[in-house]
Amino acid sequence: MQMHETDVLVIGGGPAGLGAAHALRQLGVGRVTLVERLDQTGGVPRHCAHSPFGMREFGRLMGGRRYSRLLTQRAQEGGVDIRLRHSVVGFSAGRASVATPDGPLEIGARAILLATGIREQSRAARLLPGQRPMGILTTGALQDMVHLKGLLPFRRPVIVGSELVTLSAILTCRGAGIRPVAMLESEVRPRVGHPWALFPHLVGLPVHYGAEIVDMFGSARVEAVQVRQRDGEVRTIACDGLLLTGRFTPEAALARLSGVGLDAMTGGPVVDDTWRTDMEGVFAAGNVLRAVRTAGHCWSEGRQAARSIAMALGVGP
Amino acid sequence: MIDGGIFDVAIIGAGVVGCAAARGFALAGQRVLLLERGTDILSGASKANSAILHTGFDAPRDSLELACIKAGHAEYLDLREARNLPLLTCGALVVAWSDAEAARLPELLAQAQRNGIDDVRIIGGEAVRGLEPHLAPTARGALLVPREYLIDPWSPFLAYVLEAQALGARVERAAMVTGGTFDGLAWRLETSRGRFAARWVINAAGLYGDRVEAQLLGDASFTIKPRKGQFVVFDKAAAPLVDHIILPVPSERTKGLVLTRTVFGNVLVGPTAEEQEERERPTVTTEGLEMLIARAAEIVPDLGGMPITATYAGLRPATEEKHYRIRHEPDRHWISAGGIRSTGMTAALGLAQHLLALQGGTTGPYTAAPVMPNLAENRPRDWQSAGYGEIVCHCEMVTRREIEAALAGPLPPGDFGGLKRRTRCAMGRCQGFNCLGRLAELTAGQFEAPLTVGAVHADA
């Protein structure tokens, strides 16, 4: 078993984790180790091709990929030990078990910051009815495929949701030559405010509010969805995919499995006003706490949590 | 043109029964042809079950079903270690939730004893709570069945087919039987993958068993009445909440809802029992899933609010009668194994012995057993040893090494579902939010139905 000792272990390399790790170094913490399970840091923004990111952090606007690169670069230059392809499988106060391609690793740390972010709710968690063919995915999976892998999961999907991320999903579709056939929202009005709500109309996408999916067809790949409209009429929409957008949920499974207390309302760890969870020496910041705030907000929370951690370790001004 | 010469036996259907039978006949030294209409094995009724290795404590007395369950249970225990197949020896509790149900426990005990399951006993409410502290406090008592176990519902059957293949069996997937004739010595079968000849036909076509009979024999001896079962899988965080398999006191029609851990570290509740005509569409329904979640939270209150990892539905090949439907026609070299419902996964190895005996074959000794990759959480997983490359599916901790091994195996998955069943990839709580893109890359060119429909054009 390999061992590694550090002062602060940051779990998760998105805006909150990168912001916190860099701030910890600036505050004078000697050893800061950030573990990221993917082969790339940046978190959700790394597959967002569009603006706006970076105003708060860098004083200018940029796309998500550039933003992710700059945050990473800044943390590295600040002396953060960033370890990719490191998956934390469990932790307790002062200690984390990590899977790495070189074999299991135990990391001892004086403090741990959980910054594991969010994901969109799956088809299963939404309890959607129908068959279970291929072609049902979330915005995150779509953007990973399109922007990072150059692959198209479908050409004529039905889009579910009407949050800000839905607009991001529509932009990704348009950029990749995907032509959504309809947009469905189970609420009777959009979840984003005017004027964003006009956007789907502007790009000619039929929008149905108060619409529920009642069945899904296709054995290998999605062929159609059946929708009950607000007026009660049931219609079948031919499509080759279903794009589930939004309904973010904290990626809190690691916290849950490790015994950190979660908030029943938010689904994320319970923290006090110094970002402490109910486990000794374990802090949490960013979107793992709740769904969903901007990258800039999470970055800023990470920096605040860093100050708290530094204080707890007796480091800093 | 007949492909592959004359086989000794053609098995129609690579579900649990067909896979076990392929091994059984191959071990007997026979030349086996396994025909499957789906693009991979286990893609019909067999893909959705509760993964319980039954004892037969509640099976009909003196039935073939009981005999096959007992033989299958015993043979699985005997062969699993050499094949690296998992077993959770958790036991089951048939829990009585009312005095009326508690009054029926002695009857279940007597039935179990008649069936030769003699380690079964009745325990009181206090004892139930001692064994299962998270169970709702209203349990009145239970029948404890120590040898009801949990297994991986897919790997064993892949192992049986690999073993048959190593003994020379031929596996044809996407091979739908479209016609056939018997000339007194052998069957000539027309399939969507060509023509084949075999001395015997074993009909293990599950949901299509009656249609295969009608097509090849001219009449069907039973009618399939598909019975849908929906399931909900709770997050791994739920696993510490239950130890035993929690069963209800059964009714006439169904064994009722099971609440159980899985060897993959989740908690499962299901199945519903819904009759339907349609054989192709095992759909989940929002109402059905909500009912399962609500019922699970009645049984184990701490499951309330637990995240949902997966939902699925399967169709059981029930018939108009409860018992297994065996049709043996020695003159026409034909055996059907129809109406193999919930107990089929356990009974399959026993059925394989029975089918071989009916045909007149005799089994040979075990041969070199394929060592299967372990997917169960109670034994070391691949990610725990160095050199795995990368974790592809983070929820289920599936490595690139595992995916590549599955794709390069002697029976590589024929579709994405087959890859999921061989590795567990994309079966976890995010259902592909993180890994679908990487899986699309790794499986490019592998499946007739790929994960993607094309590439992003530079000019788009």
Side-chain angles (χ1 to χ4, degrees), chain B residues 250-268:
Chain B
S251 73
E252 258 309 293
R253 188 164 141 273
T254 161
K255 290 178 159 225
L257 292 186
V258 180
L259 181 78
T260 176
R261 284 189 290 157
T262 71
V263 297
F264 309 132
N266 300 302
V267 168
L268 180 75

PDB file of all heavy atoms in Angstrom, chain B residues 250-268:
ATOM      1  N   PRO B 250     -46.100 -15.257   0.525  1.00  0.00           N
ATOM      2  CA  PRO B 250     -46.581 -15.239  -0.858  1.00  0.00           C
ATOM      3  C   PRO B 250     -48.092 -15.339  -0.979  1.00  0.00           C
ATOM      4  O   PRO B 250     -48.760 -15.862  -0.088  1.00  0.00           O
ATOM      5  CB  PRO B 250     -45.918 -16.473  -1.478  1.00  0.00           C
ATOM      6  CG  PRO B 250     -45.642 -17.370  -0.328  1.00  0.00           C
ATOM      7  CD  PRO B 250     -45.393 -16.490   0.860  1.00  0.00           C
ATOM      8  N   SER B 251     -48.609 -14.819  -2.085  1.00  0.00           N
ATOM      9  CA  SER B 251     -50.027 -14.985  -2.386  1.00  0.00           C
ATOM     10  C   SER B 251     -50.138 -16.067  -3.456  1.00  0.00           C
ATOM     11  O   SER B 251     -49.139 -16.608  -3.911  1.00  0.00           O
ATOM     12  CB  SER B 251     -50.610 -13.662  -2.888  1.00  0.00           C
ATOM     13  OG  SER B 251     -50.139 -13.411  -4.192  1.00  0.00           O
ATOM     14  N   GLU B 252     -51.359 -16.358  -3.874  1.00  0.00           N
ATOM     15  CA  GLU B 252     -51.597 -17.381  -4.890  1.00  0.00           C
ATOM     16  C   GLU B 252     -50.893 -17.042  -6.204  1.00  0.00           C
ATOM     17  O   GLU B 252     -50.304 -17.875  -6.859  1.00  0.00           O
ATOM     18  CB  GLU B 252     -53.111 -17.506  -5.154  1.00  0.00           C
ATOM     19  CG  GLU B 252     -53.732 -18.693  -4.475  1.00  0.00           C
ATOM     20  CD  GLU B 252     -52.988 -19.997  -4.761  1.00  0.00           C
ATOM     21  OE1 GLU B 252     -53.001 -20.432  -5.920  1.00  0.00           O
ATOM     22  OE2 GLU B 252     -52.373 -20.566  -3.830  1.00  0.00           O
ATOM     23  N   ARG B 253     -50.968 -15.762  -6.574  1.00  0.00           N
ATOM     24  CA  ARG B 253     -50.591 -15.363  -7.917  1.00  0.00           C
ATOM     25  C   ARG B 253     -49.090 -15.115  -8.060  1.00  0.00           C
ATOM     26  O   ARG B 253     -48.503 -15.402  -9.085  1.00  0.00           O
ATOM     27  CB  ARG B 253     -51.373 -14.101  -8.284  1.00  0.00           C
ATOM     28  CG  ARG B 253     -51.221 -13.701  -9.728  1.00  0.00           C
ATOM     29  CD  ARG B 253     -52.302 -12.701 -10.114  1.00  0.00           C
ATOM     30  NE  ARG B 253     -51.767 -11.675 -10.987  1.00  0.00           N
ATOM     31  CZ  ARG B 253     -51.198 -10.573 -10.560  1.00  0.00           C
ATOM     32  NH1 ARG B 253     -51.075 -10.334  -9.278  1.00  0.00           N
ATOM     33  NH2 ARG B 253     -50.751  -9.688 -11.424  1.00  0.00           N
ATOM     34  N   THR B 254     -48.479 -14.567  -7.037  1.00  0.00           N
ATOM     35  CA  THR B 254     -47.094 -14.138  -7.203  1.00  0.00           C
ATOM     36  C   THR B 254     -46.341 -14.303  -5.897  1.00  0.00           C
ATOM     37  O   THR B 254     -46.927 -14.386  -4.824  1.00  0.00           O
ATOM     38  CB  THR B 254     -47.015 -12.662  -7.669  1.00  0.00           C
ATOM     39  OG1 THR B 254     -45.706 -12.161  -7.392  1.00  0.00           O
ATOM     40  CG2 THR B 254     -48.028 -11.801  -6.944  1.00  0.00           C
ATOM     41  N   LYS B 255     -45.027 -14.365  -6.039  1.00  0.00           N
ATOM     42  CA  LYS B 255     -44.186 -14.434  -4.854  1.00  0.00           C
ATOM     43  C   LYS B 255     -44.135 -13.086  -4.145  1.00  0.00           C
ATOM     44  O   LYS B 255     -43.636 -12.982  -3.045  1.00  0.00           O
ATOM     45  CB  LYS B 255     -42.772 -14.844  -5.246  1.00  0.00           C
ATOM     46  CG  LYS B 255     -42.692 -16.279  -5.704  1.00  0.00           C
ATOM     47  CD  LYS B 255     -41.270 -16.602  -6.133  1.00  0.00           C
ATOM     48  CE  LYS B 255     -41.070 -18.100  -6.099  1.00  0.00           C
ATOM     49  NZ  LYS B 255     -39.862 -18.541  -5.497  1.00  0.00           N
ATOM     50  N   GLY B 256     -44.594 -12.032  -4.810  1.00  0.00           N
ATOM     51  CA  GLY B 256     -44.630 -10.720  -4.181  1.00  0.00           C
ATOM     52  C   GLY B 256     -43.322  -9.973  -4.314  1.00  0.00           C
ATOM     53  O   GLY B 256     -42.394 -10.428  -4.985  1.00  0.00           O
ATOM     54  N   LEU B 257     -43.276  -8.822  -3.663  1.00  0.00           N
ATOM     55  CA  LEU B 257     -42.116  -7.942  -3.813  1.00  0.00           C
ATOM     56  C   LEU B 257     -40.947  -8.394  -2.944  1.00  0.00           C
ATOM     57  O   LEU B 257     -41.102  -8.644  -1.757  1.00  0.00           O
ATOM     58  CB  LEU B 257     -42.484  -6.518  -3.416  1.00  0.00           C
ATOM     59  CG  LEU B 257     -43.460  -5.776  -4.315  1.00  0.00           C
ATOM     60  CD1 LEU B 257     -43.574  -4.337  -3.847  1.00  0.00           C
ATOM     61  CD2 LEU B 257     -43.004  -5.834  -5.762  1.00  0.00           C
ATOM     62  N   VAL B 258     -39.784  -8.431  -3.554  1.00  0.00           N
ATOM     63  CA  VAL B 258     -38.558  -8.779  -2.854  1.00  0.00           C
ATOM     64  C   VAL B 258     -37.788  -7.503  -2.578  1.00  0.00           C
ATOM     65  O   VAL B 258     -37.696  -6.630  -3.449  1.00  0.00           O
ATOM     66  CB  VAL B 258     -37.682  -9.692  -3.745  1.00  0.00           C
ATOM     67  CG1 VAL B 258     -36.405 -10.064  -3.014  1.00  0.00           C
ATOM     68  CG2 VAL B 258     -38.452 -10.915  -4.180  1.00  0.00           C
ATOM     69  N   LEU B 259     -37.219  -7.398  -1.393  1.00  0.00           N
ATOM     70  CA  LEU B 259     -36.295  -6.309  -1.098  1.00  0.00           C
ATOM     71  C   LEU B 259     -34.972  -6.971  -0.743  1.00  0.00           C
ATOM     72  O   LEU B 259     -34.914  -7.777   0.188  1.00  0.00           O
ATOM     73  CB  LEU B 259     -36.811  -5.471   0.073  1.00  0.00           C
ATOM     74  CG  LEU B 259     -35.925  -4.287   0.455  1.00  0.00           C
ATOM     75  CD1 LEU B 259     -36.122  -3.141  -0.517  1.00  0.00           C
ATOM     76  CD2 LEU B 259     -36.227  -3.818   1.865  1.00  0.00           C
ATOM     77  N   THR B 260     -33.946  -6.660  -1.504  1.00  0.00           N
ATOM     78  CA  THR B 260     -32.697  -7.373  -1.277  1.00  0.00           C
ATOM     79  C   THR B 260     -31.483  -6.535  -1.649  1.00  0.00           C
ATOM     80  O   THR B 260     -31.576  -5.630  -2.475  1.00  0.00           O
ATOM     81  CB  THR B 260     -32.670  -8.688  -2.094  1.00  0.00           C
ATOM     82  OG1 THR B 260     -31.398  -9.315  -1.932  1.00  0.00           O
ATOM     83  CG2 THR B 260     -32.881  -8.433  -3.576  1.00  0.00           C
ATOM     84  N   ARG B 261     -30.379  -6.860  -1.020  1.00  0.00           N
ATOM     85  CA  ARG B 261     -29.103  -6.339  -1.498  1.00  0.00           C
ATOM     86  C   ARG B 261     -28.807  -6.994  -2.831  1.00  0.00           C
ATOM     87  O   ARG B 261     -29.454  -7.969  -3.222  1.00  0.00           O
ATOM     88  CB  ARG B 261     -27.986  -6.740  -0.535  1.00  0.00           C
ATOM     89  CG  ARG B 261     -27.948  -5.950   0.733  1.00  0.00           C
ATOM     90  CD  ARG B 261     -26.698  -6.288   1.488  1.00  0.00           C
ATOM     91  NE  ARG B 261     -26.733  -7.644   2.046  1.00  0.00           N
ATOM     92  CZ  ARG B 261     -25.646  -8.348   2.362  1.00  0.00           C
ATOM     93  NH1 ARG B 261     -24.439  -7.853   2.170  1.00  0.00           N
ATOM     94  NH2 ARG B 261     -25.753  -9.554   2.883  1.00  0.00           N
ATOM     95  N   THR B 262     -27.787  -6.501  -3.518  1.00  0.00           N
ATOM     96  CA  THR B 262     -27.264  -7.203  -4.684  1.00  0.00           C
ATOM     97  C   THR B 262     -25.780  -7.437  -4.444  1.00  0.00           C
ATOM     98  O   THR B 262     -25.171  -6.770  -3.597  1.00  0.00           O
ATOM     99  CB  THR B 262     -27.429  -6.389  -5.979  1.00  0.00           C
ATOM    100  OG1 THR B 262     -26.519  -5.280  -5.932  1.00  0.00           O
ATOM    101  CG2 THR B 262     -28.845  -5.870  -6.142  1.00  0.00           C
ATOM    102  N   VAL B 263     -25.201  -8.357  -5.201  1.00  0.00           N
ATOM    103  CA  VAL B 263     -23.758  -8.576  -5.044  1.00  0.00           C
ATOM    104  C   VAL B 263     -22.978  -7.354  -5.508  1.00  0.00           C
ATOM    105  O   VAL B 263     -21.799  -7.208  -5.192  1.00  0.00           O
ATOM    106  CB  VAL B 263     -23.252  -9.821  -5.813  1.00  0.00           C
ATOM    107  CG1 VAL B 263     -23.880 -11.085  -5.270  1.00  0.00           C
ATOM    108  CG2 VAL B 263     -23.464  -9.693  -7.303  1.00  0.00           C
ATOM    109  N   PHE B 264     -23.632  -6.457  -6.249  1.00  0.00           N
ATOM    110  CA  PHE B 264     -22.967  -5.247  -6.726  1.00  0.00           C
ATOM    111  C   PHE B 264     -23.021  -4.119  -5.698  1.00  0.00           C
ATOM    112  O   PHE B 264     -22.564  -3.015  -5.959  1.00  0.00           O
ATOM    113  CB  PHE B 264     -23.606  -4.775  -8.037  1.00  0.00           C
ATOM    114  CG  PHE B 264     -23.714  -5.860  -9.068  1.00  0.00           C
ATOM    115  CD1 PHE B 264     -24.897  -6.080  -9.745  1.00  0.00           C
ATOM    116  CD2 PHE B 264     -22.627  -6.681  -9.346  1.00  0.00           C
ATOM    117  CE1 PHE B 264     -24.999  -7.092 -10.692  1.00  0.00           C
ATOM    118  CE2 PHE B 264     -22.725  -7.703 -10.292  1.00  0.00           C
ATOM    119  CZ  PHE B 264     -23.913  -7.909 -10.964  1.00  0.00           C
ATOM    120  N   GLY B 265     -23.607  -4.408  -4.526  1.00  0.00           N
ATOM    121  CA  GLY B 265     -23.571  -3.429  -3.445  1.00  0.00           C
ATOM    122  C   GLY B 265     -24.731  -2.461  -3.412  1.00  0.00           C
ATOM    123  O   GLY B 265     -24.674  -1.466  -2.699  1.00  0.00           O
ATOM    124  N   ASN B 266     -25.773  -2.735  -4.189  1.00  0.00           N
ATOM    125  CA  ASN B 266     -26.967  -1.884  -4.155  1.00  0.00           C
ATOM    126  C   ASN B 266     -28.068  -2.566  -3.355  1.00  0.00           C
ATOM    127  O   ASN B 266     -27.888  -3.670  -2.849  1.00  0.00           O
ATOM    128  CB  ASN B 266     -27.485  -1.630  -5.571  1.00  0.00           C
ATOM    129  CG  ASN B 266     -26.467  -0.934  -6.439  1.00  0.00           C
ATOM    130  OD1 ASN B 266     -25.999   0.148  -6.112  1.00  0.00           O
ATOM    131  ND2 ASN B 266     -26.096  -1.562  -7.542  1.00  0.00           N
ATOM    132  N   VAL B 267     -29.217  -1.915  -3.299  1.00  0.00           N
ATOM    133  CA  VAL B 267     -30.422  -2.541  -2.769  1.00  0.00           C
ATOM    134  C   VAL B 267     -31.486  -2.481  -3.862  1.00  0.00           C
ATOM    135  O   VAL B 267     -31.629  -1.461  -4.540  1.00  0.00           O
ATOM    136  CB  VAL B 267     -30.908  -1.822  -1.492  1.00  0.00           C
ATOM    137  CG1 VAL B 267     -32.322  -2.279  -1.117  1.00  0.00           C
ATOM    138  CG2 VAL B 267     -29.954  -2.093  -0.339  1.00  0.00           C
ATOM    139  N   LEU B 268     -32.181  -3.591  -4.022  1.00  0.00           N
ATOM    140  CA  LEU B 268     -33.120  -3.760  -5.123  1.00  0.00           C
ATOM    141  C   LEU B 268     -34.508  -4.012  -4.547  1.00  0.00           C
ATOM    142  O   LEU B 268     -34.630  -4.733  -3.567  1.00  0.00           O
ATOM    143  CB  LEU B 268     -32.654  -5.004  -5.885  1.00  0.00           C
ATOM    144  CG  LEU B 268     -33.392  -5.491  -7.100  1.00  0.00           C
ATOM    145  CD1 LEU B 268     -33.065  -4.565  -8.249  1.00  0.00           C
ATOM    146  CD2 LEU B 268     -32.917  -6.899  -7.436  1.00  0.00           C
TER     147      LEU B 268
END
